Amino acid sequence: MTKSAPPVKKNQDIELTFEDISHDGAGVGKINGYPLFVPYALPGETAKVKVIKANKKYGFGKLIEVTKKSEHRVDPPCNVFFKCGGCQIQHMDYEMQLEMKRNQVKSALKKIGHIEGIPIHPTIGMEDPWRYRNKVQIPVGSKNGELITGFYRMRSHDIIEDMERCIITEEANDEMIDVVREIANSLDISAYDETNHRGILRHIMVRSGKVTKQIMVVLVTRKEKVPQLSKLVSVLKEKHPEITSIIQNVNPDKTNVILGKKTKVLYGEEYIYDEIDGIRFSISAKSFYQINPLQTEKLYKKALEYADLSGNETVIDAYCGIGTISLFLAQKAKKVYGVEIVPEAISDAKDNARLNNMDNVEFFVGQAEKVMPWWQAQGIKPDVIVVDPPRKGCDEDLLQAMLDMKPKRIVYVSCNPSTLARDLKILEEGGYKTKEAQPVDMFPQTMHIETVAVLEI
Ligand code: SAH
């Protein structure tokens, strides 16, 4: 054996003890320092494993039998958990999920950011970590001439036929999928078939307002003209008066992207409304809106607490989306400037400001890293800057722009602990000090981790 050869071979059966968990939820065990990633194994467990791939520096294995079980292992309640891949950690009890997420933040800040010794609080979890998603979009297919709906099997485009429910989706939305499918089926509306680009119904999407209970149904179709579509709409609205909006989205392209360009209102309003802590938001078929409203409220309240506003401050909200955080901040600030790259989101943000009669907030379309230096040139001096970037974190120019603007405080909302840690390090090198961090569980049963951190100069 050469020095660099892996200590295991493909198809070898071994016994392994797991110490850690990877970003995608696989158990990580080591053989003489060589890590093996094994889906569904939990830290603290020992298991029989079959090696399925042995790369030079790491390998993958399949869980055969757990010989020493973690006390945190539970039976996943979803009947298709092992096929779907939408959730990664239903086999881990909620207590361990919250602790594990906090540890991932701690470890990223330490290893990548060299930040230690600050409070990283216990993850704020949900009282009931199920049925939290306010939006579901599900592919439509057919079997034996009948319509079927279900998520795709992991890493494929095969619909999971025996999917009964999605138990992280709000019940009303989940049930609405069945209702729409059955009506469409009875009217002989065909399913889209991506292999030959024929058929009609591609996806059914349902969104709802947590507070308002309004429901929007979006039918994603390959063509605009759909036989029996008006019948479908009339049956649907008659049977389900809770639906306030039925939308058709036309997607004629050969693509994995769910929504096409064109949307048409078939019934009711173009928007549904929802409220977070008394602030009202209008949500269209295409709007970005946080999918877990209960936890969003906790996250934004924490961001507001960290911003520590007295009413006299100028605040910048970079990567503002439809202005959700901006409007939260505007309640306590003198003036808020929001910047976001997607024009439609800024148009929603402006509508939302109007809807809530807030006139101390201004929104701009553009790259935050370009708009911020321009603001600085205009003489805008923020007391606090809030950032909520996508997974890849902040652009380097944006970090520099923040350092140049020298706000008293920076509040960093992050959906990726690794890029958070990388960016905090740069800000610390620029003179800021990370004071504390708070993980918030926005996506129970999944490996997604949301954190809010605060820095001061
Ligand atoms: N704060 C919002 C949205 C955060 S998601 C909320 O909580 O609802 C991150 C947002 O950053 C997305 O809306 C994305 O369109 C936007 N974005 C990505 N790159 C950007 C850039 N360079 N400049 C400004 N916005 C950007």
Side-chain angles (χ1 to χ4, degrees):
M1 216 190 324
T2 63
K3 208 175 159 202
S4 61
V8 287
K9 282 203 184 79
K10 189 175 168 175
N11 289 329
Q12 190 179 339
D13 290 319
I14 55 163
E15 187 153 68
L16 193 61
T17 297
F18 294 90
E19 302 153 25
D20 205 350
I21 191 156
S22 70
H23 295 297
D24 53 5
V28 188
K30 285 185 179 159
I31 313 141
N32 300 330
Y34 175 91
L36 206 64
F37 295 88
V38 181
Y40 311 117
L42 293 178
E45 290 190 328
T46 303
K48 285 187 184 144
V49 168
K50 188 179 267 312
V51 177
I52 52 175
K53 200 168 188 184
N55 294 333
K56 223 174 182 182
K57 294 202 167 143
Y58 57 90
F60 297 94
K62 187 174 178 218
L63 190 67
I64 306 295
E65 192 195 344
V66 181
T67 46
K68 186 180 151 246
K69 247 188 200 182
S70 162
E71 63 193 38
H72 296 288
R73 178 174 283 278
V74 288
D75 284 334
C78 172
N79 74 320
V80 297
F81 170 65
F82 294 106
K83 299 177 192 168
C84 169
C87 296
Q88 298 84 44
I89 47 174
Q90 283 193 15
H91 59 303
M92 184 191 288
D93 70 15
Y94 196 49
E95 188 192 339
M96 188 184 197
Q97 292 186 21
L98 296 177
E99 188 54 24
M100 177 271 294
K101 291 187 182 187
R102 180 196 198 184
N103 288 337
Q104 297 250 332
V105 175
K106 265 190 193 165
S107 140
L109 290 199
K110 184 174 161 189
K111 282 190 201 148
I112 305 168
H114 307 303
I115 296 165
E116 274 184 277
I118 61 155
I120 296 173
H121 302 287
T123 311
I124 299 177
M126 296 191 79
E127 222 166 276
D128 176 14
W130 300 99
R131 296 233 170 262
Y132 57 84
R133 281 192 67 103
N134 59 9
K135 171 172 132 179
V136 59
Q137 28 194 14
I138 222 161
V140 180
S142 69
K143 193 181 180 199
N144 304 329
E146 303 271 312
L147 293 182
I148 55 168
T149 46
F151 290 125
Y152 292 134
R153 192 179 290 270
M154 235 182 283
R155 292 182 288 276
S156 87
H157 269 203
D158 307 329
I159 289 175
I160 303 172
E161 289 168 20
D162 57 341
M163 183 179 137
E164 288 160 9
R165 303 247 76 88
C166 173
I167 54 178
I168 61 165
T169 293
E170 283 219 4
E171 202 148 16
N173 299 14
D174 202 15
E175 282 169 4
M176 195 53 70
I177 296 286
D178 291 347
V179 168
V180 175
R181 184 195 59 236
E182 272 157 33
I183 301 171
N185 201 35
S186 70
L187 294 170
D188 281 332
I189 294 176
S190 60
Y192 173 66
D193 181 348
E194 64 180 3
T195 58
N196 58 16
H197 198 54
R198 286 162 79 163
I200 298 292
L201 195 53
R202 299 175 70 124
H203 275 82
I204 302 168
M205 168 169 151
V206 185
R207 307 186 86 160
S208 60
K210 180 87 195 155
V211 172
T212 60
K213 304 284 175 223
Q214 294 179 333
I215 292 184
M216 169 185 282
V217 173
V218 183
L219 306 162
V220 185
T221 60
R222 180 177 62 86
K223 293 193 299 185
E224 187 170 344
K225 274 218 157 79
V226 177
Q228 300 282 40
L229 189 61
S230 56
K231 182 78 182 154
L232 193 160
V233 171
S234 63
V235 176
L236 199 53
K237 69 180 195 211
E238 203 166 293
K239 279 196 174 166
H240 292 276
E242 68 275 26
I243 301 174
T244 52
S245 165
I246 304 177
I247 309 284
Q248 179 184 13
N249 174 273
V250 186
N251 186 353
D253 298 333
K254 286 186 183 169
T255 170
N256 287 338
V257 178
I258 296 178
L259 295 180
K261 283 203 190 85
K262 188 166 185 179
T263 52
K264 263 174 82 176
V265 179
L266 299 176
Y267 163 73
E269 307 278 332
E270 189 185 344
Y271 295 96
I272 55 169
Y273 293 93
D274 199 16
E275 276 175 29
I276 303 178
D277 198 32
I279 302 179
R280 217 166 157 80
F281 296 97
S282 67
I283 307 155
S284 72
K286 287 184 162 183
S287 300
F288 172 85
Y289 185 64
Q290 295 280 357
I291 58 102
N292 185 338
L294 283 179
Q295 293 303 94
T296 300
E297 179 169 340
K298 295 178 194 167
L299 175 74
Y300 291 175
K301 279 190 167 157
K302 192 43 88 172
L304 189 59
E305 181 194 316
Y306 280 170
D308 195 17
L309 304 174
S310 66
N312 294 318
E313 292 85 357
T314 299
V315 184
I316 287 178
D317 178 16
Y319 307 93
C320 71
I322 60 163
T324 22
I325 298 181
S326 320
L327 297 188
F328 249 70
L329 296 164
Q331 301 176 97
K332 296 267 171 70
K334 189 167 90 194
K335 177 88 194 206
V336 178
Y337 295 91
V339 55
E340 156 66 44
I341 202 164
V342 176
E344 292 83 3
I346 286 296
S347 150
D348 284 351
K350 288 180 177 167
D351 288 348
N352 288 329
R354 247 175 266 125
L355 191 65
N356 292 283
N357 300 315
M358 290 187 179
D359 52 13
N360 59 338
V361 29
E362 267 180 61
F363 291 107
F364 292 83
V365 181
Q367 289 171 281
E369 61 273 20
K370 300 243 165 76
V371 173
M372 302 249 295
W374 178 75
W375 275 339
Q376 190 176 16
Q378 310 285 304
I380 294 171
K381 289 197 179 72
D383 301 289
V384 179
I385 298 180
V386 179
V387 291
D388 181 10
R391 288 188 60 77
K392 68 175 198 262
C394 293
D395 191 279
E396 244 177 87
D397 291 344
L398 182 107
L399 295 169
Q400 192 52 52
M402 289 206 277
L403 293 174
D404 293 342
M405 283 178 140
K406 292 193 183 58
K408 274 200 304 260
R409 253 183 301 284
I410 296 173
V411 178
Y412 194 132
V413 181
S414 157
C415 56
N416 182 349
S418 306
T419 54
L420 169 69
R422 180 201 65 198
D423 292 349
L424 290 182
K425 183 164 179 268
I426 297 172
L427 293 170
E428 294 225 337
E429 285 160 1
Y432 281 83
K433 174 88 190 73
T434 311
K435 292 290 173 186
E436 54 185 297
Q438 173 67 66
V440 179
D441 193 20
M442 299 283 276
F443 312 100
Q445 321 307 332
T446 79
M447 284 302 291
H448 295 288
I449 304 172
E450 195 88 13
T451 313
V452 51
V454 59
L455 302 99
E456 285 175 4
I457 192 109

